[in-house]
Amino acid sequence: MKYLWFHLFIATTLALTACGEIQDHSKIRTTSKSINGEYIAGVGDTVLTIENTESLPNAFGAADILGRTRPTGTTTVYFNGYSNGKAQFVRRDVLIHSSKTTVNSTPLIVNPSSQSTFSGNIGGIPYYGSSSTSTYPIIVPPNTPQDQVAGIRDINIAPKLVIKFS
């Protein structure tokens, strides 16, 4: 009875853990070069990139318990040069539509290993035995749908920062 309660507790804990909410995540990267604490970028260089993702939904619409994610888009800021002493930037938002789920993103693993047993009688003499076959598992890759670009938006940014050359 003690083991039954333990297994029931584990099953309940796993079920509740599997029902987490879908969460959005963002990762920020800068690719500009830093020299003496100042960032240097040439015309057309990427200054900042933000990669947006969300939790991979499972079959019940909750977040994947393994923490896998799927992309939802990126925001990139490019240095576009100078105009009237002001730095000019371009912000590009790319929205991504993804149909990935845990169901269509998990590979199928087939274990072709087997064990056979046999028994019988020949002329009143019983016989029996077993046979094992072992081989490497076969991994069938998932048929994951491709992500689709849902929209691209470019916005010109002209900060109120005035750059003076001496």
Side-chain angles (χ1 to χ4, degrees):
M1 187 70 171
K2 181 178 169 183
Y3 294 111
L4 175 66
W5 287 110
F6 176 72
H7 287 97
L8 184 61
F9 172 75
I10 295 296
T12 305
T13 303
L14 287 174
L16 292 175
T17 305
C19 296
E21 292 183 23
I22 301 288
Q23 296 181 354
D24 294 321
H25 307 278
S26 296
K27 185 186 335 180
I28 300 174
R29 287 185 304 143
T30 58
T31 56
S32 301
K33 303 293 181 203
S34 176
I35 299 176
N36 295 331
E38 295 183 13
Y39 288 99
I40 308 295
V43 176
D45 286 352
T46 301
V47 177
L48 177 74
T49 301
I50 302 171
E51 297 172 354
N52 301 310
T53 59
E54 68 180 2
S55 303
L56 192 65
N58 63 18
F60 306 105
D64 178 33
I65 62 172
L66 301 176
R68 294 179 288 181
T69 60
R70 66 182 181 183
T72 58
T74 60
T75 298
T76 308
V77 177
Y78 300 98
F79 177 62
N80 204 28
Y82 297 102
S83 177
N84 298 326
K86 294 183 181 178
Q88 302 292 314
F89 297 93
V90 174
R91 171 183 159 179
R92 174 171 284 172
D93 297 322
V94 178
L95 302 175
I96 298 174
H97 173 72
S98 179
S99 298
K100 294 178 183 173
T101 65
T102 58
V103 177
N104 61 22
S105 299
T106 305
L108 176 64
I109 301 174
V110 179
N111 186 3
S113 300
S114 65
Q115 183 166 2
S116 301
T117 58
F118 54 90
S119 63
N121 258 327
I122 295 181
I125 302 173
Y127 67 90
Y128 58 91
S130 65
S131 170
S132 296
T133 304
S134 296
T135 185
Y136 294 107
I138 299 171
I139 300 174
V140 181
N143 189 12
T144 306
Q146 296 295 316
D147 296 333
Q148 298 174 347
V149 175
I152 298 174
R153 176 179 63 176
D154 286 342
I155 301 171
N156 289 321
I157 302 172
K160 300 195 185 265
L161 174 68
V162 176
I163 300 172
K164 295 182 180 179
F165 296 100
S166 48

